[in-house]
Amino acid sequence: MLEPENETRPWADQLALDDASYRTQLAYLLQRSAFYREKLAAAGFTSAEAAGGLADIAQLPLTEKGEIRATCTPGNPIGAHLCATPSEIVRIYSTSGTTGAPSYVPLTAGDLDNWVTASARSYAASGVAPGQRIVSTYNAGPF
């Protein structure tokens, strides 16, 4: 385990933390993304409170890649769904574009930290310990 205190947390405690994080994420999304504000409003969710908690996640509309691609322009290749300001972006991953134009995945410092932690947790769960060397087929980025 990477962080036993986190990975062995009682389920009820973890669910409470996840629900709080979900609600915070929804509020952030609605505050910072016109794309998702419009999408969620069209589905009847005009506020984070209206969307409820994690138990209500199935009520939210899905986002398809085509919707995001439709908002990409030469002047804004990332698309209108972006929730971070340019100064918050620390890294941008790109797909190869084999099925069309490349897709860009910008990351903030927090996103990058979450990706590294999730990757480390995955390796630890697979039995990889500090100091060991492996050959990995992990993607270079979170897509």
Side-chain angles (χ1 to χ4, degrees):
M1 281 187 257
L2 181 67
E3 299 171 328
E5 66 280 5
N6 291 329
E7 292 152 24
T8 61
R9 181 177 289 124
W11 180 248
D13 294 350
Q14 185 63 54
L15 189 57
L17 287 172
D18 290 345
D19 186 73
S21 294
Y22 173 79
R23 290 170 190 268
T24 299
Q25 182 65 36
L26 274 175
Y28 177 90
L29 189 67
L30 287 164
Q31 176 188 6
R32 299 188 71 166
S33 173
F35 175 86
Y36 282 109
R37 250 191 325 274
E38 292 169 16
K39 184 170 184 66
L40 291 169
F45 303 107
T46 57
S47 69
E49 294 80 20
L54 193 54
D56 306 304
I57 194 170
Q59 304 307 311
L60 296 182
L62 297 175
T63 300
E64 296 182 11
K65 191 172 185 177
E67 292 176 274
I68 292 172
R69 278 190 173 164
T71 71
C72 296
T73 65
N76 182 10
I78 293 171
H81 65 288
L82 183 65
C83 297
T85 63
S87 64
E88 294 171 302
I89 297 170
V90 298
R91 182 173 292 177
I92 298 176
Y93 287 105
S94 172
T95 64
S96 64
T98 55
T99 61
S103 295
Y104 298 99
V105 182
L107 301 177
T108 64
D111 296 330
L112 189 57
D113 183 54
N114 286 338
W115 174 250
V116 168
T117 299
S119 297
R121 224 176 237 142
S122 174
Y123 286 129
S126 299
V128 177
Q132 290 184 314
R133 295 180 186 196
I134 64 168
V135 175
S136 173
T137 58
Y138 249 180
N139 282 330
F143 30 76

